Amino acid sequence: MNPYLEIHPEVQQALAAGMPVVALESTIIAHGMPYPQNVQTALEVEAVIRKAGAIPATIAILDGKCRVGLTKQQLEHLGKATGVWKVSLVDMPYVISQKLAGATTVATTMRIAAMAGIRVFVTGGIGGVHRGAETTMDISADLTEMGQTSVAVVSAGVKSILDIGLTLEYLETKGIPVVTYGQDAFPSFYSRQSGFPSPLRLDSPQGVANLLHTKWELGLEGAVLIANPIPAGQEVPAEEMERHIQEALRAAAQQHIRGKAVTPFLLKFIAAHTQGESLEANIALIKNNAKLGAEIAVAYFR
Ligand code: PSU
Ligand code: MN
């Protein structure tokens, strides 16, 4: 067992018993939503996973350990404290060795989930290839990590703060199957459409579970991205989002925002300018993803 890994007893027991476990990230808690909705949502998402017959394991870095499964107090701390790090792979050794509090990104959560033996992971939106990446080279480590770590990632597609076309190209290059659940169009987080067709489509948790099983049995390591469209009726109109995204990108350029600060800056800017609407949509889609993720985990372990 890795000395830096600390698995909550309930999660440990579930893994030992071969029961379905679903990993959850914590950047969305510390940097993706305001307090107290962030902690409230994190708890509700865990409840959705339990109701669907799986055990939730929210992942974060605390006291020099990769924690798999958090207590309510730990969730509360991550959601409330200031100075919680956003930990992508590049930050992991620093935050762990300095014993700092860290919220894990998709890339880091996947890596820790794999260390613990968890195969299914639920998030809101993944990082990807940023608009303008042809000059900035800003490509999220989420994509390279998905290229090598065998964990299924359930998300609501890709937010249009990114270049969706380039992100799909990159996923293809890395050999990451992209499966949209229940429709032909690839979704873009706040919207069920993105203007791009989905490379693949499946309509049942069992179908997804079979794909995962087949991929990994073939020795094809790496993730599968499952894009789950936001529930109809919860969408934020794409034209409205685009206006806010353009504004956010201009502000980021003016303020010389670079590197790992780019994604949180854009997300915060957009949240502040769309207020209740984007937050409500965000909460709806993460719960929707949690339900599907749990169903996939249950089917996979059957
Ligand atoms: N995109 C979203 N919501 C998020 C993130 C991205 O729509 O919360 C977070 C995730 O934790 C993701 C991270 O892993 O940002 C990507 O950051 P970067 O682009 O710096 O790799
Ligand atoms: Mn980046």
Side-chain angles (χ1 to χ4, degrees), residues 20-44:
V21 176
V22 174
L24 296 160
E25 65 147 312
S26 45
T27 294
I28 187 168
I29 302 171
H31 300 288
M33 286 183 193
Y35 182 83
Q37 287 95 335
N38 55 357
V39 175
Q40 178 70 29
T41 303
L43 292 169
E44 284 171 12

Side-chain angles (χ1 to χ4, degrees), residues 116-200:
I118 301 173
R119 289 295 204 171
V120 179
F121 161 49
V122 165
T123 185
I126 61 162
V129 181
H130 279 262
R131 296 189 189 189
E134 57 277 21
T135 52
T136 64
M137 289 199 41
D138 190 353
I139 299 173
S140 175
D142 292 354
L143 297 185
T144 43
E145 183 63 10
M146 282 197 275
Q148 60 184 18
T149 294
S150 299
V151 172
V153 180
V154 180
S155 89
V158 171
K159 222 174 243 165
S160 48
I161 57 172
L162 303 172
D163 188 317
I164 297 177
L166 292 186
T167 301
L168 287 169
E169 287 294 342
Y170 200 92
L171 288 161
E172 184 196 83
T173 300
K174 289 283 170 186
I176 303 155
V178 175
V179 180
T180 297
Y181 191 75
Q183 67 175 36
D184 295 328
F186 184 68
S188 60
F189 199 85
Y190 290 120
S191 172
R192 292 171 67 84
Q193 310 292 321
S194 64
F196 291 88
S198 178
L200 303 167

